[in-house]
């Protein structure tokens, strides 16, 4: 499990609370993807299950540490939906609940981690709630969630919410450029497109993913002067939601450009495209485009069995009337 420098401070703060016997039995970690909440929980779990702690660190040598490193610690439970499913049912929660009331197999703490607490069904959440209300001794819960508001209020009220904030942009850029050899412009773009999460930015800078974004940006530049429908093959893809997200971020940046907000744009590597859009399209057209694409993305994500190609075709035809009104009216 990789460790990230921006986790040092929250790790120290949480461990210090445990050392002072003030650690909360249920920590709800609110973090966006790419901030390393999994690494933070892993580090905290190792410390809690270590049999010979060295201050803020786990020793790495005791039997508990070796079991954790091998991924076989019998008192560490990871609760998540089965592969191919997106819901965590009551049976899995009941099974862990029952084990928690038994004596720890290693004679120390017991730790439960839910990598995505939003997967809990209503019944599963209620089953977990009963244990959170009266937890067994030396039992610790970690619940990770990108949107805590999706969790039942009763469940949130039993937890201490810990928000994992993105690190300073300069620190993130320094870390990113140590991991991958890219320009500062590309690194800044990836970081801002990832809402400041360095891990997500690193994944975006993967050669295959980054080249897909570059190809889309180039096609968007051509579409402003040519055939908008030529974009269909680029959007009609399993990764369509993310690609529409890239387009929406460009539209937002074009609106910022019109208002003199160049220092605050996310796509700093696409300034010629943003300038073209800002000059050719009025703010009302950019705003309407953004709203249409966001609605399209929402349908693709939430409408069951939606015909992706048909929906995208209709959206591109509608968008063509916005970005090329003269060419469309002359047909």
């Amino acid at each position: 499990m990789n460790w990230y420098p921006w986790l040092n401070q929250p790790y120290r703060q949480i461990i210090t609370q445990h050392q002072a016997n003030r650690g909360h039995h249920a920590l709800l970690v609110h973090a966006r993807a790419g901030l390393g909440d999994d690494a933070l929980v892993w580090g905290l779990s190792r410390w809690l299950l270590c049999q010979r702690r060295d201050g803020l660190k786990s020793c790495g040598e005791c039997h508990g540490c070796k079991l954790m490193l091998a991924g076989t610690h019998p008192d560490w439970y990871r609760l998540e939906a089965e592969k191919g499913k997106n819901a965590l049912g009551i049976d899995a929660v009941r099974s862990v609940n029952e084990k928690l009331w038994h004596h720890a197999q290693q004679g120390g703490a017991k730790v439960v981690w839910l990598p995505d607490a939003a997967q809990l069904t209503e019944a599963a959440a209620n089953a977990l709630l009963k244990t959170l209300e009266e937890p067994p001794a030396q039992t610790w819960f970690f619940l990770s969630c990108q949107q805590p508001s999706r969790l039942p209020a009763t469940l949130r009220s039993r937890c201490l919410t810990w928000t994992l904030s993105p690190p300073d942009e300069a620190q993130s850029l320094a870390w990113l450029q140590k991991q991958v050899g890219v320009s500062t412009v590309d690194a800044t773009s990836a970081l801002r497109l990832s809402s400041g999460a360095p891990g997500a930015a690193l994944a975006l800078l993967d050669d295959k993913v980054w080249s897909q974004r570059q190809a889309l940006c180039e096609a968007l530049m051509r579409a402003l002067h040519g055939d908008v429908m030529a974009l269909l093959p680029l959007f009609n893809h399993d990764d369509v939601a993310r690609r529409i997200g890239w387009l929406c971020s460009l539209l937002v940046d074009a609106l910022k450009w019109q208002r003199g907000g160049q220092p605050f744009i996310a796509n700093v590597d696409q300034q010629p495209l943003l300038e073209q859009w800002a000059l050719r399209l009025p703010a009302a057209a950019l705003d309407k485009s953004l709203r249409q694409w966001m609605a399209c993305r929402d349908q693709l994500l939430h409408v069951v069995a939606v015909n992706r190609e048909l929906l995208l075709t209709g959206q591109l035809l509608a968008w063509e009337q916005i970005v090329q009104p003269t060419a469309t009216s002359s047909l």
Side-chain angles (χ1 to χ4, degrees), residues 245-324:
W246 292 338
L247 169 56
C248 288
S249 74
L250 289 163
L251 291 167
V252 170
D253 279 351
L255 285 166
K256 292 178 183 177
W257 193 285
Q258 288 182 339
R259 291 161 173 77
Q262 287 89 336
F264 308 103
I265 61 174
N267 299 273
V268 294
D269 64 327
Q270 296 297 327
Q271 295 190 43
L273 172 59
L274 298 176
E275 185 176 19
Q276 282 288 313
W277 280 8
L279 291 173
R280 283 181 60 94
L281 299 174
L286 290 170
D287 180 72
K288 185 175 181 180
S289 299
L290 178 61
R291 293 175 185 274
Q292 284 189 357
W293 278 110
M294 288 177 66
C296 178
R297 183 177 183 271
D298 186 67
Q299 291 181 67
L300 287 166
L301 287 173
H302 300 114
V303 176
V304 178
V306 65
N307 187 321
R308 184 175 68 200
E309 184 173 3
L310 184 61
L311 179 61
L312 287 170
T313 299
Q315 169 57 27
L316 286 169
L317 287 171
W319 196 41
E320 189 172 39
Q321 296 178 16
I322 297 174
V323 300
Q324 296 179 357

Side-chain angles (χ1 to χ4, degrees), residues 84-259:
K85 298 183 179 181
N86 56 14
L88 177 59
I90 190 172
D91 290 341
V93 174
R94 281 176 173 170
S95 176
V96 169
N97 279 346
E98 184 179 349
K99 294 174 183 177
L100 293 177
W101 288 102
H102 296 160
H103 186 70
Q105 295 189 43
Q106 294 300 307
K110 290 161 285 186
V111 178
V112 181
W113 179 39
L114 283 76
D116 184 1
Q119 291 180 338
L120 288 164
T121 63
E122 183 179 355
N126 288 333
L128 181 63
L129 179 63
K130 294 178 181 178
T131 307
L132 291 178
E133 288 174 341
E134 297 181 10
Q138 285 291 97
T139 300
W140 311 98
F141 293 87
F142 295 104
L143 294 79
S144 291
C145 191
Q146 293 186 33
Q147 295 178 290
S149 59
R150 294 177 58 190
L151 302 179
T154 49
L155 189 65
R156 297 198 308 270
S157 68
R158 302 302 189 277
C159 302
L160 173 67
T161 300
W162 189 282
T163 300
L164 196 57
S165 302
D168 176 79
E169 186 172 89
Q171 179 188 6
S172 298
L173 288 174
W175 179 84
L176 263 180
Q177 292 184 293
K178 284 183 180 179
Q179 309 303 312
V180 59
V182 296
S183 67
T184 301
V185 168
D186 283 355
T188 302
S189 298
L191 189 63
R192 293 182 180 180
L193 287 169
S194 303
S195 302
L202 182 61
L204 177 56
L205 286 168
D206 175 82
D207 288 342
K208 182 179 179 180
V209 179
W210 194 248
S211 63
Q212 290 171 349
R213 175 181 169 272
Q214 296 299 93
L216 178 63
C217 291
E218 292 169 6
L220 287 168
M221 176 70 91
R222 295 192 298 269
L224 192 61
H225 307 281
D227 183 10
V228 172
M229 292 306 299
L231 292 168
L232 182 59
L234 288 173
F235 281 112
N236 190 21
H237 188 276
D238 290 341
D239 198 27
V240 60
R242 176 157 64 171
R243 296 182 184 203
I244 292 178
W246 292 338
L247 169 56
C248 288
S249 74
L250 289 163
L251 291 167
V252 170
D253 279 351
L255 285 166
K256 292 178 183 177
W257 193 285
Q258 288 182 339
R259 291 161 173 77

